[in-house]
Amino acid sequence: MAYSVPLNEKRVFIRWFLKNYQLKRREGVWILNYLLSNEALLEHVHFVDEAHYCPRAIVMSTVDTTSIPFRFYKDNIMTSDAEKAFHDLRINSTDEIYFQLNFPSIPPNPLYLAVLEENPYAPDIFIHEKDRVAAQQLLENSVLEFQEHMLLKQIDEALDTGDKERFFELSNLLQALKHSK
């Protein structure tokens, strides 16, 4: 990675995180405390989003999220066994490891932003779920607005031609469309 987060910033963040959040799995607390006690290992720790794309990663979640409690990824293997992750950290302390911590972070805490790094393994075009939902809502709203515009245009034409039956039919459609919004 081009930019290396200073060890002190990682320590400050981990301490803050442990003080303010409760992890779903107590082994996660042990792992984070182990990072604090092992400077050589902490040098190789990177906090990222979408850690499951990384060759060696740990994902942990707090109790106030709906995310998975714990996952350890190494090459093409995934496990929820925190002891295996801890053992791997001890044995391979000079290998890069990527951490994803799932916790309520809106607005993002400055301590977290100070240690958050760009994930070098994440796909270039990665669409977050909230972005996908926003795009879907925008598309649906655009379609509804277009349909409403077309119905209004057809209602005007029905009025111009004096077609009462068509006018009432289109008016009912317009009311149903507005109701669906």
Side-chain angles (χ1 to χ4, degrees):
M1 302 201 108
Y3 170 74
S4 180
V5 175
L7 285 179
N8 191 48
E9 289 185 17
K10 292 178 186 179
R11 278 192 210 99
V12 168
F13 167 69
I14 293 171
R15 285 185 187 118
W16 170 84
F17 182 83
L18 288 170
K19 181 180 178 187
N20 290 285
Y21 293 98
Q22 180 183 354
L23 290 166
K24 288 183 178 182
R25 299 271 306 269
R26 69 182 182 279
E27 296 93 336
V29 174
W30 301 342
I31 289 172
L32 291 175
N33 278 312
Y34 182 66
L35 295 179
L36 288 172
S37 70
N38 189 328
E39 191 169 294
L41 175 60
L42 194 54
E43 280 282 346
H44 300 282
V45 168
H46 306 279
F47 294 96
V48 297
D49 288 327
E50 307 306 328
H52 60 278
Y53 287 110
C54 301
R56 185 168 170 245
I58 292 177
V59 176
M60 295 187 277
S61 302
T62 61
V63 294
D64 42 6
T65 66
T66 58
S67 304
I68 55 170
F70 184 92
R71 289 290 187 274
F72 172 61
Y73 299 87
K74 185 163 184 182
D75 300 320
N76 293 323
I77 298 171
M78 182 272 297
T79 181
S80 60
D81 188 342
E83 289 183 26
K84 287 183 180 178
F86 187 71
H87 179 70
D88 187 79
L89 284 172
R90 287 191 331 238
I91 301 296
N92 302 301
S93 63
T94 59
D95 293 348
E96 302 301 309
I97 179 114
Y98 298 85
F99 276 79
Q100 175 181 330
L101 298 175
N102 299 319
F103 64 102
S105 59
I106 296 177
N109 184 283
L111 296 174
Y112 175 58
L113 294 176
V115 298
L116 187 63
E117 299 179 50
E118 185 175 332
N119 186 339
Y121 298 97
D124 287 335
I125 301 174
F126 186 80
I127 299 175
H128 289 279
E129 180 63 16
K130 62 183 173 187
D131 295 334
R132 187 196 65 73
V133 169
Q136 182 68 30
Q137 287 176 337
L138 178 65
L139 179 62
E140 288 172 6
N141 288 341
S142 296
V143 167
L144 287 173
E145 285 181 29
F146 176 76
Q147 289 174 335
E148 183 177 350
H149 174 75
M150 292 306 295
L151 281 172
L152 288 170
K153 186 176 179 182
Q154 291 174 346
I155 287 171
D156 285 345
E157 290 172 2
L159 285 172
D160 290 343
T161 60
D163 188 346
K164 285 184 180 180
E165 189 175 310
R166 181 84 173 133
F167 169 78
F168 287 120
E169 177 186 339
L170 294 170
S171 294
N172 288 336
L173 288 173
L174 180 62
Q175 291 303 316
L177 181 68
K178 286 185 176 185
H179 188 303
S180 70
K181 282 185 175 181

